[in-house]
Amino acid sequence: MKKVLKIFGTTALLASLVLTGCSQQAATSKPADNTQATKEAPKADANTKAFLRANLKTEPVSLDPPKAYDQVAFEVLYNVLEGMVRLDENHVPQPAMAEKWEISDGGKKYTFKLRDSKWSNGDPVTAQDFEFSWKRMVDPKNGFPASFLAFVIDGAEKFNKGEGTENDVKVKALDDKTLEVTLKAPTGYFLSLVATPVFYPVNKKNVEANPNWSAEAATIPSNGPFTLSEWTHDQSVKAVKNQNYWDKDKVKLAGINWVMVNDENTQFQMFRSGELDNIESVPKDVKSKLLASGEAKITPEAATSFYRLNTAMPPFNNKSVRKAFALAVNRQLIIDKVTQGKQIPAMGIVPIGFPEPGGMDFRQVGGGFFKDNDVEQAKALLAQGMKEEGWSALPEVTLTYDTNDLNKSVAQVLQEMFKKNLGVDVKLESKEWKVFLAEQRASKHQVSLSTFYADYADPLNFIEIFQTGHPGNRINYSNNAFDQLIQKASVEPDEKKRFSLMHEAEKMFFDDMPVLPLYYSTKVYMEQPNVKGILRHPALLMDYKSVEIAPK
């Protein structure tokens, strides 16, 4: 593992600095100055009539913030809505809807003071909108997949689990411009957490008047830099500059036109022909050449790509079999020959880039839990598991992924590895994104691909989702001792003890091996030379607020 960290070099250091910045800012009682909230692009000849042309690749699952818990929807929501804070070019939370805030009660109570701002329909943005939105997020009748992120708020988890009421959730609008939030324990990453789109407000009056408000562009009011103008389902999303946005003078674009093209070769050709201004992935057959020439660039992501192994479905109900599949994979080969994005082989679930109180990286302290491409041990474990279950033949295995060219290539290579290294024939199954995600959330897949991006700047985010019954679990994994460690870590005020508990939990998790880690992710992207100011945050957020496009 130490060798891996050394190879990662500058990219790991950057990710570490990114996440350290988020954590440090979140722990202070006064927000940083917002005058440099976004990196200034060259002013000369900026075309204020220009529309940024980007690619979502596929239809958003939803544009209702706590329901839209996926990377496609996040790209739209981060630009048409805005929360209490917004991340700057250093990925540090800065004032946004909240003009300022105070932290008291030993770090448990946050009092946000909202600035004067309006929704795109002219309604004022109020503290009542935020109270309504955050309580709605954890209301059990809604079943929102992102509800767990609000469990740091006192009373939120009990309400969500039917053990309390809405009034027990400690979020209260003291007046139209003041929101008071009490946490169940000091949470240093709270400001980083509420920068996530699932915490963005919805217009209370609008939602209560129209149950289907989030289905069409015309019925979705915005409070962010842009406002939706058109949503042609499965084809495109369009947004225009929001003239009611409080910081509209910083917005230089006339709007954003998103297409939905999921074929990487087609997307690349559209970029080459000038039909797209930026692309966030490139075809694997030209990736190395483009990186070498500098036309394509790499940025770190606070993310881990892995396959979920459904512990309720044979053969993955057996721990030895799960370990056999994990050890039978040559991750470095996949990175070198398929993904080609300088990713790092993952031997744990928490990625590189989360510093401990003593300064070392969480991943470096925790190390790896197994060896990459340990074929002989994999064969032995498979035989052991089959003997334990009394199987003369392994139950059928189906690997599911979404319709993405790179994901398809990785799945095909894994299929070959399982055949060569274990003698197992694995079936491949491709699903359109919305169908794939719905089925995975319902735990219907036997083996399925995931890339989990940090919702907030803390290792707990990557391990808490595997608690029993957690909406992020999706593999029917259950270990009471593991659950107890996570619960202890979530309220432990001593940072050294908290990190120790998280290490213990991750070790226990990998003793059960309910996932097959692949790599710690990076993004390879391209943008046209006349485009400046796109902010790519490691936690899966694309910010187009300060983009400028110069005439060609």
Side-chain angles (χ1 to χ4, degrees):
M1 192 61 198
K2 290 182 179 178
K3 182 179 179 181
V4 167
L5 287 166
K6 187 176 180 180
I7 293 171
F8 199 53
T10 305
T11 305
L13 178 60
L14 174 58
S16 178
L17 292 172
V18 162
L19 294 166
T20 302
C22 291
S23 297
Q24 289 176 341
Q25 172 62 21
T28 62
S29 60
K30 295 181 180 180
D33 175 51
N34 195 38
T35 56
Q36 296 296 326
T38 53
K39 191 174 182 179
E40 293 293 333
K43 300 294 183 184
D45 300 323
N47 183 2
T48 58
K49 295 182 179 181
F51 282 76
L52 182 76
R53 298 160 302 170
N55 184 18
L56 288 177
K57 293 189 176 181
T58 188
E59 173 83 352
V61 170
S62 172
L63 291 181
D64 183 346
K67 186 177 182 180
Y69 187 45
D70 82 295
Q71 63 263 40
V72 177
F74 274 14
E75 181 166 336
V76 178
L77 291 173
Y78 197 73
N79 292 285
V80 302
L81 295 178
E82 187 166 85
M84 289 296 188
V85 300
R86 195 174 192 90
L87 302 179
D88 65 13
E89 73 274 14
N90 295 314
H91 321 292
V92 175
Q94 301 289 352
M97 283 294 103
E99 192 171 34
K100 58 184 179 180
W101 54 83
E102 295 178 356
I103 306 174
S104 59
D105 192 18
K108 290 174 62 176
K109 183 177 288 186
Y110 285 69
T111 305
F112 294 97
K113 294 290 185 179
L114 274 67
R115 67 177 75 250
D116 289 330
S117 58
K118 292 182 179 180
W119 292 95
S120 55
N121 64 3
D123 293 340
V125 180
T126 66
Q128 288 85 357
D129 287 328
F130 276 93
E131 178 183 353
F132 172 77
S133 300
W134 291 8
K135 288 182 174 179
R136 175 177 177 265
M137 179 178 174
V138 295
D139 191 329
K141 73 173 183 288
N142 294 324
F144 290 136
S147 60
F148 74 95
L149 291 172
F151 288 177
V152 297
I153 299 172
D154 192 8
E157 184 172 8
K158 288 185 176 180
F159 176 45
N160 184 258
K161 293 182 176 179
E163 299 168 1
T165 68
E166 181 179 325
N167 292 332
D168 295 323
V169 182
K170 302 301 182 183
V171 178
K172 184 178 181 179
L174 302 183
D175 55 47
D176 287 351
K177 296 299 179 185
T178 309
L179 186 78
E180 182 182 272
V181 184
T182 303
L183 309 182
K184 63 183 182 183
T187 306
Y189 54 81
F190 184 63
L191 293 178
S192 171
L193 178 62
V194 298
T196 308
V198 297
F199 281 92
Y200 290 179
V202 295
N203 184 308
K204 181 176 184 289
K205 184 172 67 174
N206 181 63
V207 174
E208 291 179 333
N210 179 10
N212 296 316
W213 67 275
S214 63
E216 303 297 337
T219 53
I220 303 177
S222 301
N223 73 320
F226 304 93
T227 185
L228 293 170
S229 59
E230 183 181 323
W231 183 2
T232 305
H233 292 284
D234 297 308
Q235 293 184 35
S236 63
V237 174
K238 296 182 179 180
V240 296
K241 181 176 178 177
N242 183 2
Q243 296 300 329
N244 282 339
Y245 181 52
W246 70 273
D247 204 21
K248 66 179 180 181
D249 290 344
K250 294 277 185 68
V251 180
K252 304 303 180 184
L253 290 174
I256 307 165
N257 290 338
W258 283 285
V259 295
M260 301 177 194
V261 176
N262 208 15
D263 181 84
E264 283 197 335
N265 288 307
T266 303
Q267 173 193 241
F268 181 63
Q269 291 306 318
M270 291 175 69
F271 177 82
R272 282 299 203 202
S273 64
E275 297 172 74
L276 289 174
D277 291 309
N278 65 295
I279 54 175
E280 304 307 308
S281 62
V282 299
K284 64 177 183 179
D285 57 341
V286 295
K287 188 177 294 183
S288 296
K289 180 180 179 181
L290 292 169
L291 286 170
S293 68
E295 294 177 85
K297 298 178 181 179
I298 292 180
T299 187
E301 294 183 312
T304 302
S305 288
F306 61 97
Y307 273 85
R308 299 173 187 262
L309 307 176
N310 198 322
T311 61
M313 293 185 182
F316 299 109
N317 59 315
N318 183 277
K319 179 168 68 173
S320 297
V321 173
R322 296 195 296 267
K323 289 184 176 181
F325 273 73
L327 270 60
V329 174
N330 187 333
R331 291 157 182 79
Q332 193 62 59
L333 181 64
I334 292 174
I335 292 165
D336 292 342
K337 302 298 184 182
V338 183
T339 61
Q340 298 180 26
K342 298 184 179 179
Q343 297 89 350
I344 300 301
M347 308 304 171
I349 196 68
V350 179
I352 298 165
F354 293 89
E356 302 226 351
M360 292 182 67
D361 189 272
F362 181 92
R363 186 72 280 134
Q364 187 176 15
V365 173
F369 298 102
F370 58 95
K371 294 181 179 179
D372 189 34
N373 196 35
D374 192 351
V375 177
E376 293 307 311
Q377 181 67 6
K379 290 178 179 177
L381 285 165
L382 181 62
Q384 178 181 323
M386 292 180 67
K387 182 178 180 181
E388 291 167 351
E389 301 295 335
W391 293 327
S392 58
L394 197 70
E396 186 176 277
V397 175
T398 300
L399 186 153
T400 308
Y401 57 95
D402 66 289
T403 53
N404 172 283
D405 291 340
L406 181 61
N407 294 342
K408 178 181 178 180
S409 296
V410 171
Q412 290 173 336
V413 171
L414 286 174
Q415 183 185 46
E416 294 175 5
M417 288 180 178
F418 294 140
K419 177 63 175 178
K420 177 183 177 182
N421 297 337
L422 296 178
V424 176
D425 290 309
V426 172
K427 293 185 178 181
L428 301 184
E429 179 181 61
S430 176
K431 299 273 186 171
E432 183 267 334
W433 174 245
K434 289 181 70 175
V435 175
F436 171 85
L437 194 57
E439 289 184 354
Q440 188 188 74
R441 286 175 175 172
S443 301
K444 292 183 178 180
H445 296 156
Q446 187 183 30
V447 183
S448 63
L449 177 65
S450 278
T451 298
F452 189 86
Y453 295 82
D455 299 302
Y456 55 88
D458 195 84
L460 186 65
N461 192 199
F462 286 83
I463 49 180
E464 68 170 347
I465 63 171
F466 296 105
Q467 295 175 85
T468 303
H470 195 287
N473 189 309
R474 306 179 189 177
I475 50 175
N476 297 294
Y477 175 66
S478 181
N479 182 326
N480 184 57
F482 172 82
D483 296 346
Q484 290 180 16
L485 286 170
I486 297 299
Q487 289 301 309
K488 287 180 182 178
S490 69
V491 295
E492 175 56 59
D494 185 298
E495 282 294 277
K496 288 185 178 180
K497 291 181 180 178
R498 194 174 71 88
F499 271 77
S500 178
L501 288 167
M502 290 189 289
H503 280 300
E504 188 178 349
E506 190 185 28
K507 183 177 184 298
M508 185 178 294
F509 180 72
F510 274 96
D511 184 58
D512 288 335
M513 195 70 79
V515 298
L516 189 163
L518 287 179
Y519 45 77
Y520 306 125
S521 301
T522 60
K523 176 187 285 188
V524 177
Y525 68 93
M526 299 180 72
E527 55 189 47
Q528 300 292 359
N530 65 327
V531 175
K532 305 293 181 184
I534 295 176
L535 293 183
R536 295 171 174 85
H537 300 296
L540 195 67
L541 299 174
M542 295 285 295
D543 191 347
Y544 299 137
K545 173 181 173 177
S546 297
V547 171
E548 295 185 16
I549 299 179
K552 292 183 178 180

